Amino acid sequence: MILLRIFLAISFITLLLFIFVTFYNGNCTIKALSRQYDSLCVEEGNVADSLQRVEEPDPTNSSVTDSGAANTTMSPDPLGTQLTLVAPMDKHNFTALPQWKFDDIYRLDPQFKPSECMVSLRNSSNPVYKEKFIPNIQLFLQSDHVNMSEWNRLYHFNNPFGYMGFNHTAIKAAVDTIPKLASTQLLQVPTRAKDGCIRCAVVGTCGILNGSRLGKEIDSSDYVFRVNAAIIAGHEEDVGKRTSVYVHTAHSLIQSLMLHKKREAENRAIRTFIRSC
Ligand SMILES: *[C@@H]1O[C@H](CO)[C@@H](O)[C@H](O)[C@H]1NC(C)=O
Ligand SMILES: *[C@@H]1O[C@H](CO)[C@@H](O)[C@H](O)[C@H]1NC(C)=O
Ligand SMILES: *[C@@H]1O[C@H](CO)[C@@H](O)[C@H](O)[C@H]1NC(C)=O
Ligand SMILES: *[C@@H]1O[C@H](CO)[C@@H](O)[C@H](O)[C@H]1NC(C)=O
Ligand SMILES: *[C@@H]1O[C@H](CO)[C@@H](O)[C@H](O)[C@H]1NC(C)=O
Ligand SMILES: *[C@@H]1O[C@H](CO)[C@@H](O)[C@H](O)[C@H]1NC(C)=O
Ligand SMILES: *[C@@H]1O[C@H](CO)[C@@H](O)[C@H](O)[C@H]1NC(C)=O
């Protein structure tokens, strides 16, 4: 189990995306058992909601400046120097999603080791996937990761992609409390996996697995991921019992608690289940 502090969830959103991409080993069957629950989940504060880097500003707010149209750069040297913090900004500075020259620069993991799994979707031949997927991206945020140049770069992106509007002193102090991992490999390949492959179940929310009896199959995976308010009690036969990793955004972590309470009476379970990943 990985304990996610609320603060960590901010940066772990990237992790979530790469969990999904990284462990698609072999033939992935996406069981969209039902779409009828989707509307129930809108209020969940799910991952997609949090992926808006910069919210649409209120067009009636005359104090919102125009200076932030797409392709805005806040200064001639938007990244500043390696010695000073970039000038304060927040999402209200922008009227549209800014595009930065460094939009597609990511911290890479110096310890990265390629997978030995022959059927891994990491080496899918799909050209779109190949273009987008960065196998050696840094997954875990840990102490020392907030140095001046990294702060300045990530300060240009709204939560959960970066630190825009956040307080450098507070964030750096928080990040520096996160111990360094001995291994940056997200999940160890099980020793019984002679082929070097990892099999995962990624279980969503909202009751789609009700009546599916997929619990045993989910539990037989090497790792079980659950996202948002994953209600298990009373639904083990359908959703399984094991949890290896819970994935939350800062938003869903708080929202889930509230909604879970609200929904206890309604007792809904799990929405989507992706197997053989
Ligand atoms: C209008 O935008 C400014 C920032 O430009 C923000 O501080 C203020 O809260 C906004 N006002 C409203 C009513 O949203
Ligand atoms: C911003 O710049 C990118 C790349 O330079 C370009 O593709 C895009 O069309 C520009 N967007 C706007 C709104 O000018
Ligand atoms: C962006 O917004 C912040 C906070 O509202 C303000 O302090 C700063 O001066 C603004 N920056 C620019 C370049 O408009
Ligand atoms: C997939 O990647 C593994 C390890 O990097 C490699 O040995 C294998 O040949 C690749 N398979 C395909 C089909 O590209
Ligand atoms: C901060 O860390 C990044 C990534 O490790 C590195 O490339 C960069 O040089 C560092 N910047 C400073 C100012 O140390
Ligand atoms: C930033 O956080 C530090 C430490 O938590 C605090 O002392 C400081 O007042 C904060 N700065 C601002 C501008 O909020
Ligand atoms: C699961 O399905 C049964 C039978 O259709 C229904 O009675 C029950 O309310 C459902 N439970 C949940 C949590 O959706």
Side-chain angles (χ1 to χ4, degrees):
M1 280 292 287
I2 294 178
L3 287 175
L4 298 182
R5 297 175 208 189
I6 293 179
F7 169 73
L8 288 189
I10 295 166
S11 42
F12 275 29
I13 182 61
T14 329
L15 167 63
L16 168 66
L17 294 177
F18 283 92
I19 286 166
F20 287 161
V21 176
T22 308
F23 296 104
Y24 279 13
N25 290 338
N27 302 321
C28 239
T29 313
I30 297 175
K31 289 196 173 176
L33 294 182
S34 160
R35 295 270 164 226
Q36 63 181 307
Y37 292 95
D38 278 1
S39 59
L40 300 175
C41 298
V42 169
E43 58 190 323
E44 178 100 28
N46 58 30
V47 166
D49 294 343
S50 310
L51 290 183
Q52 291 177 295
R53 273 201 293 213
V54 176
E55 284 165 13
E56 283 300 316
D58 176 0
T60 61
N61 183 344
S62 56
S63 64
V64 170
T65 65
D66 285 337
S67 66
N71 289 351
T72 291
T73 52
M74 300 298 290
S75 71
D77 179 16
L79 280 177
T81 73
Q82 300 234 320
L83 298 172
T84 53
L85 297 176
V86 285
M89 55 177 122
D90 75 29
K91 60 190 178 188
H92 298 295
N93 294 133
F94 301 92
T95 54
L97 183 71
Q99 292 178 350
W100 308 103
K101 287 201 183 83
F102 45 90
D103 265 356
D104 275 324
I105 292 177
Y106 305 92
R107 178 191 282 271
L108 301 180
D109 179 358
Q111 289 187 38
F112 171 77
K113 288 195 189 64
S115 161
E116 287 169 11
C117 179
M118 294 298 285
V119 292
S120 171
L121 282 192
R122 279 169 171 268
N123 41 16
S124 157
S125 56
N126 180 314
V128 179
Y129 174 88
K130 279 168 91 164
E131 191 202 325
K132 304 278 182 215
F133 181 58
I134 305 170
N136 56 338
I137 199 160
Q138 176 75 43
L139 291 178
F140 294 108
L141 185 68
Q142 58 190 35
S143 65
D144 289 357
H145 278 183
V146 179
N147 65 16
M148 196 64 81
S149 46
E150 283 295 275
W151 173 271
N152 285 348
R153 178 174 71 83
L154 289 168
Y155 192 72
H156 291 75
F157 304 96
N158 203 14
N159 171 316
F161 293 93
Y163 307 126
M164 187 182 285
F166 287 17
N167 174 331
H168 174 262
T169 316
I171 299 285
K172 179 160 175 49
V175 172
D176 282 346
T177 64
I178 306 169
K180 286 198 159 104
L181 294 164
S183 163
T184 54
Q185 184 169 341
L186 179 60
L187 302 169
Q188 301 302 318
V189 179
T191 41
R192 67 170 185 273
K194 301 273 182 284
D195 54 4
C197 298
I198 299 171
R199 290 170 49 84
C200 297
V202 181
V203 186
T205 48
C206 290
I208 196 173
L209 290 181
N210 187 19
S212 70
R213 295 169 178 271
L214 286 168
K216 279 211 177 81
E217 191 176 335
I218 291 173
D219 281 344
S220 72
S221 312
D222 297 322
Y223 297 99
V224 180
F225 291 81
R226 299 186 191 270
V227 302
N228 297 338
I231 300 164
I232 296 172
H235 303 280
E236 291 85 349
E237 202 183 335
D238 293 334
V239 307
K241 295 179 206 161
R242 289 180 49 223
T243 303
S244 316
V245 178
Y246 260 115
V247 182
H248 276 282
T249 65
H251 184 58
S252 77
L253 195 56
I254 295 162
Q255 285 293 100
S256 296
L257 283 173
M258 295 190 302
L259 281 164
H260 185 28
K261 280 190 189 133
K262 198 170 122 192
R263 286 201 196 139
E264 256 165 1
E266 301 158 18
N267 227 8
R268 296 183 188 118
I270 297 292
R271 183 170 58 170
T272 53
F273 169 51
I274 304 173
R275 79 181 165 93
S276 303
C277 290

